[in-house]
Amino acid sequence: SAVISQKPSRDICQRGTSLTIQCQVDSQVTMMFWYRQQPGQSLTLIATANQGSEATYESGFVIDKFPISRPNLTFSTLTVSNMSPEDSSIYLCSVVGPTGDRFEQYFGPGTRLTVT
Amino acid sequence: AQKVTQAQTEISVVEKEDVTLDCVYETRDTTYYLFWYKQPPSGELVFLIRRNSFDEQNEISGRYSWNFQKSTSSFNFTITASQVVDSAVYFCALSEALYNQGGKLIFGQGTELSVKP
């Protein structure tokens, strides 16, 4: 399986500010995803991070609020912009495993964000 | 529409008891994958198992076993002789093959399992 790290692991931010979360994988992977887990809730896919092109967003998520970059096959960032308390969540990066099987998906440790 | 339902929001058992976590799914696809993940209090998501729609054989891994029944659209997870370390939130998830080129996972709401000593 791929080893995934995320920075920061947690943060407390003021409303109206932005936070950029980094996801680093120890090997090249074909697909990277960003999920959100609101308190006490399940995980919801925000977007697929595409290498060299714009991310593909799920319904209810927009680029202006959650800009995503993926400059290469091992790294991606998610920015949470103009934050409000409703953005308090765990944000998780996930990747398709090194075999390229798109149904073999692994998750990073998550970034726990609190917005005050 | 695709959907995963975990009707049990919380389960509490005493150590060494067996416990079954239920998962019912809905999908329009004939080819799909089902997953179970464990999320301990630390927050990371730990992969437990993947099963494709053409493989209905039950699987056992140590104290863990899974029962996949297409006839009832269920993929239940049993922990035998539960231990305190099993305390976590468990998520069942679905990924459709035909309508999902990107490997998107659809998660259930999760079941919080508490194993008391």
Side-chain angles (χ1 to χ4, degrees), chain B residues 45-61:
Chain B
L45 216 59
V46 178
F47 169 82
L48 295 178
I49 190 172
R50 179 183 79 175
R51 173 68 75 213
N52 75 54
S53 53
F54 298 109
D55 183 0
E56 286 193 72
Q57 280 194 336
N58 291 334
E59 180 151 342
I60 298 174
S61 176

Side-chain angles (χ1 to χ4, degrees), chain B residues 12-66:
Chain B
S12 182
V13 299
V14 176
E15 208 170 19
K16 298 184 183 176
E17 286 185 10
D18 299 347
V19 58
T20 295
L21 310 182
D22 298 334
C23 173
V24 175
Y25 62 92
E26 297 175 31
T27 177
R28 55 189 167 171
D29 207 341
T30 55
T31 303
Y32 51 89
Y33 289 82
L34 296 163
F35 304 79
W36 277 95
Y37 286 89
K38 174 182 179 180
Q39 187 176 45
S42 52
E44 78 272 23
L45 216 59
V46 178
F47 169 82
L48 295 178
I49 190 172
R50 179 183 79 175
R51 173 68 75 213
N52 75 54
S53 53
F54 298 109
D55 183 0
E56 286 193 72
Q57 280 194 336
N58 291 334
E59 180 151 342
I60 298 174
S61 176
R63 295 184 298 108
Y64 296 169
S65 62
W66 291 269

Side-chain angles (χ1 to χ4, degrees), chain B residues 71-89:
Chain B
S71 60
T72 56
S73 297
S74 65
F75 186 42
N76 296 337
F77 172 32
T78 297
I79 302 174
T80 303
S82 59
Q83 301 176 1
V84 173
V85 294
D86 295 326
S87 297
V89 179

Side-chain angles (χ1 to χ4, degrees), chain A residues 31 33 35 37 40-45 48 58 90 92 96 101-110 112, chain B residues 33 35 37 39 41-45 47 50 91 95-98 100-110:
Chain A
M31 306 186 79
F33 307 90
Y35 285 81
Q37 185 180 21
Q41 302 296 313
S42 186
L43 287 82
T44 302
L45 180 64
T48 302
E58 296 297 307
I90 299 174
L92 297 105
V96 166
D101 179 346
R102 59 190 170 93
F103 299 105
E104 179 188 352
Q105 198 169 133
Y106 297 93
F107 285 80
R112 197 177 294 264
Chain B
Y33 289 82
F35 304 79
Y37 286 89
Q39 187 176 45
S42 52
E44 78 272 23
L45 216 59
F47 169 82
R50 179 183 79 175
F91 289 98
S95 188
E96 297 174 321
L98 178 60
N100 173 20
Q101 297 303 309
K104 170 184 175 180
L105 289 172
I106 300 153
F107 284 85
Q109 287 301 104

Side-chain angles (χ1 to χ4, degrees), chain A residues 8-115:
Chain A
S9 58
R10 58 176 63 229
D11 207 341
I12 301 173
C13 300
Q14 300 282 336
R15 71 170 67 209
T17 63
S18 298
L19 177 72
T20 295
I21 303 168
Q22 298 179 4
C23 176
Q24 179 74 54
V25 193
D26 68 340
S27 58
Q28 293 186 344
V29 293
T30 53
M31 306 186 79
M32 298 180 77
F33 307 90
W34 287 98
Y35 285 81
R36 180 178 74 179
Q37 185 180 21
Q38 294 177 300
Q41 302 296 313
S42 186
L43 287 82
T44 302
L45 180 64
I46 297 172
T48 302
N50 300 310
Q51 194 260 330
S53 64
E54 194 171 283
T56 304
Y57 289 85
E58 296 297 307
S59 176
F61 297 97
V62 295
I63 187 171
D64 289 345
K65 176 67 176 176
F66 298 102
I68 289 170
S69 78
R70 190 178 172 193
N72 56 52
L73 294 178
T74 63
F75 185 78
S76 178
T77 66
L78 166 75
T79 299
V80 186
S81 303
N82 188 24
M83 287 183 285
S84 66
E86 292 70 36
D87 295 318
S88 298
S89 298
I90 299 174
Y91 292 86
L92 297 105
C93 167
S94 76
V95 304
V96 166
T99 65
D101 179 346
R102 59 190 170 93
F103 299 105
E104 179 188 352
Q105 198 169 133
Y106 297 93
F107 285 80
T111 295
R112 197 177 294 264
L113 170 63
T114 302
V115 183

